[in-house]
Each structure stands twice: as C-alpha cells, then as structure tokens.
Amino acid sequence: MHNTRILILGANSDIAVATARILAQEGADLWLSSRNLEELEKEAANLRTRYGVDARGVRFDARDFDSHPDFYSGLDPKPDGVVLAFGLLGDQQTSQKDFDQARAVMETNYTGAVCILELVAADFDRRGKGFIVGISSVAGDRGRADNYIYGSSKAGFTAYLSGLRQRLHASGIPVLTVKPGFVATKMTVGKPLPKRLTADPEMVARAIVKGIRKRKNVIYVKPLWRVIMGVITHIPEKVFKKLSL
Ligand SMILES: NC(=O)c1ccc[n+]([C@@H]2O[C@H](COP(=O)([O-])OP(=O)(O)OC[C@H]3O[C@@H](n4cnc5c(N)ncnc54)[C@H](OP(=O)(O)O)[C@@H]3O)[C@@H](O)[C@H]2O)c1
C-alpha cells in the first residue's frame, strides 16, 4: 500500500477506524472524512505518529449532496482507492412513524453513497486506475419487517455497487461489496447479537484489506452469513411473509 492514498468516507465508523489502521500500517496515506472533524483529526494524528503516514481529516456530509463536487475536487492529492463506510441504521419503528428519520437512513445509505461514488467513479475511470469498496449489509439481501427501511437502502446500495462493478470492469477498476453480518460497533451497541454470527471491527477490517488485495467482488465477512442468506433469499414469499425472522 506504499505510494497509495486512500479516501475513507465515514472514517469515524468503528469498522473504518480499524480498516484505516491496517492500511496505515501497510504504508497507505489517508484522507479521513465524515462530519465530526475533531474526531477525525485526532485519529489522523494518531496514524501519523504510529505509522509515519500522511493522514489528514476532511469534513464530509453524505447527506449534503450539493457539497460533494467541491469536496471531491478539493482533495489534493487525489485518492487511488476509496472505502465507503458511512451508514445509518436508525430505528425501524421510529422510521415507520417519522419520515424524516426514514429519509435520513435512505439518504445516508443510498442517495449520499451514490452521489459521492459517481464522482469517484468518473475520476477513476478518467485516470484508468483506482479501487472502490462499499460496505453494504446482509440486511439488503432480503427485506424483513424489523429493518426494511435500512435493509431496502442497503439493497439499493448493493445493486448500485453491482452495476458500478460491471461498468468499471473494462477500465480495470475493481469494486468490492462488503457484507459484514453483525458487527459489535457503536451502531449495534445494546443489541443482543449472537456471538457466532458477530464479527469485531478488526475482523471486518482484515477481510476488507484482503478483499482489496485479491480484487474480490463480494465478501461476506463470516462465511456462515453467505449460507444463511442463501437460505433466506430462497424462501418463497408466501411462506416468508408469515415468518418472523
Ligand atoms: N455494525 C454492524 O453490525 C453492521 C453490519 C452490517 C453493515 N454495517 C455497515 O458498515 C458500515 C460501518 O458500520 P459501523 O458499525 O462501523 O458504523 P458506526 O460505528 O455506527 O459509524 C458510522 C459512521 O458513519 C458516519 N456517518 C453517519 N452519517 C454520516 C453522514 N451523513 N455523512 C458522513 N458520515 C456519516 C458517522 O461519522 P460522523 O458522525 O463523524 O459523521 C459514524 O461514525 C455502515 O455502512 C453500516 O451500515 C454495519
């Protein structure tokens, strides 16, 4: 990863912090971006001190779509790879009653992601180099009653990444879709997560870096999730609608 600069979008996410540390350890320079610049600057300083890389914080709001062109054109030097980690889970019950919250979830996970990645894709396509990683979710593999606002926004993001992968294939730019399964982070704090199906951020980070190196298309961090979602997506609708999965 020497002589590589990677832009992390949503760099204050627990998964992103763990990923940035591995990338920095491997010599990558980093742009760390999200809304909380103070936290980003602290982590950037930590990475500079620990790994001797050039890590810098820069403010980015996925929902402020109009700001994305200036954000991206302001990055100097330009990144050679992008890891999109930002996301919003929200609360399903609240999202059903409060459209503002549902909109925040959809705008963060889908619209904001598409808005910034289209700019990245155009730049990488023009330069004929780069890689893109998007953290989606197994929740996007099938809509379920208890998280379908989040799940449908991730389903859209997964489909978007699939199309982007096909578009950029001819230019040799890999697009990696990451489906982490449950991860113990601030997003899931207080939720009862089954131990066997739950990864920690470092495990996801290792899988992401390996996926980049091997130019993978889609990874399920814990392989058991691929099996589970394979079964879940094959249950007929007339049966599925009666289940409480
Ligand atoms: N945790 C899980 O179980 C799990 C499972 C499957 C998939 N995922 C996905 O994995 C990714 C990372 O998850 P995580 O658990 O590491 O997240 P996390 O610790 O909850 O962090 C999410 C980060 O997203 C950033 N963010 C939120 N809204 C933003 C916006 N409008 N603009 C820019 N940044 C924004 C926040 O940073 P600022 O506050 O600094 O903006 C926050 O630090 C997400 O896409 C999530 O959906 C997580």
Side-chain angles (χ1 to χ4, degrees):
M1 295 286 178
H2 284 279
N3 297 322
T4 303
R5 176 171 286 273
I6 299 171
L7 165 64
I8 306 204
L9 297 157
N12 280 329
S13 111
D14 291 344
I15 293 172
V17 170
T19 306
R21 286 181 185 172
I22 299 182
L23 293 170
Q25 198 167 19
E26 297 195 353
D29 295 323
L30 295 161
W31 285 117
L32 304 181
S33 71
S34 70
R35 296 163 304 179
N36 187 338
L37 190 56
E38 205 180 319
E39 277 302 307
L40 296 172
E41 298 284 16
K42 268 192 232 160
E43 184 58 19
N46 177 36
L47 296 176
R48 287 195 298 270
T49 310
R50 278 171 73 179
Y51 305 112
V53 295
D54 178 7
R56 303 181 218 170
V58 56
R59 199 177 180 284
F60 169 77
D61 184 345
R63 294 185 66 200
D64 186 0
F65 314 130
D66 291 344
S67 70
H68 292 189
D70 282 351
F71 162 79
Y72 194 72
S73 64
L75 297 177
D76 182 20
K78 284 276 173 288
D80 309 297
V82 168
V83 177
L84 188 151
F86 62 77
L88 182 63
L89 180 59
D91 173 72
Q92 173 65 29
Q93 296 297 321
T94 311
S95 290
Q96 286 169 211
K97 292 181 222 112
D98 172 7
F99 184 69
D100 281 347
Q101 201 212 73
R103 181 157 70 184
V105 172
M106 296 184 284
E107 287 186 354
T108 306
N109 297 325
Y110 181 72
T111 319
V114 171
C115 185
I116 185 63
L117 286 188
E118 281 301 294
L119 297 169
V120 171
D123 178 45
F124 285 2
D125 208 6
R126 198 168 40 244
R127 289 158 60 203
K129 61 184 258 192
F131 64 82
I132 294 172
V133 179
I135 308 186
S136 192
S137 173
V138 298
D141 286 4
R142 190 158 195 181
R144 293 185 299 109
D146 68 2
N147 73 350
Y148 64 84
I149 298 296
Y150 174 78
S152 61
S153 64
K154 287 296 194 181
F157 186 44
T158 299
Y160 169 78
L161 291 170
S162 170
L164 189 64
R165 178 179 306 114
Q166 210 175 37
R167 168 187 158 194
L168 294 178
H169 176 68
S171 315
I173 296 159
V175 175
L176 169 65
T177 305
V178 181
K179 298 184 185 179
F182 299 137
V183 191
T185 68
K186 62 180 179 294
M187 184 177 274
T188 52
V189 80
K191 294 196 184 294
L193 304 179
K195 221 170 166 220
R196 265 193 86 197
L197 293 175
T198 305
D200 57 33
E202 290 71 27
M203 187 183 288
V204 183
R206 284 193 298 273
I208 289 173
V209 176
K210 191 171 160 196
I212 294 170
R213 195 167 291 120
K214 296 194 155 190
R215 301 171 74 91
K216 291 272 189 192
N217 300 313
V218 180
I219 55 172
Y220 286 79
V221 171
K222 286 208 158 205
L224 191 51
W225 275 109
R226 189 183 285 275
V227 179
I228 292 170
M229 296 320 294
V231 172
I232 288 180
T233 51
H234 280 88
I235 300 172
E237 274 305 325
K238 64 179 182 215
V239 176
F240 191 72
K241 71 183 179 186
K242 297 175 196 153
L243 302 177
S244 55
L245 278 175

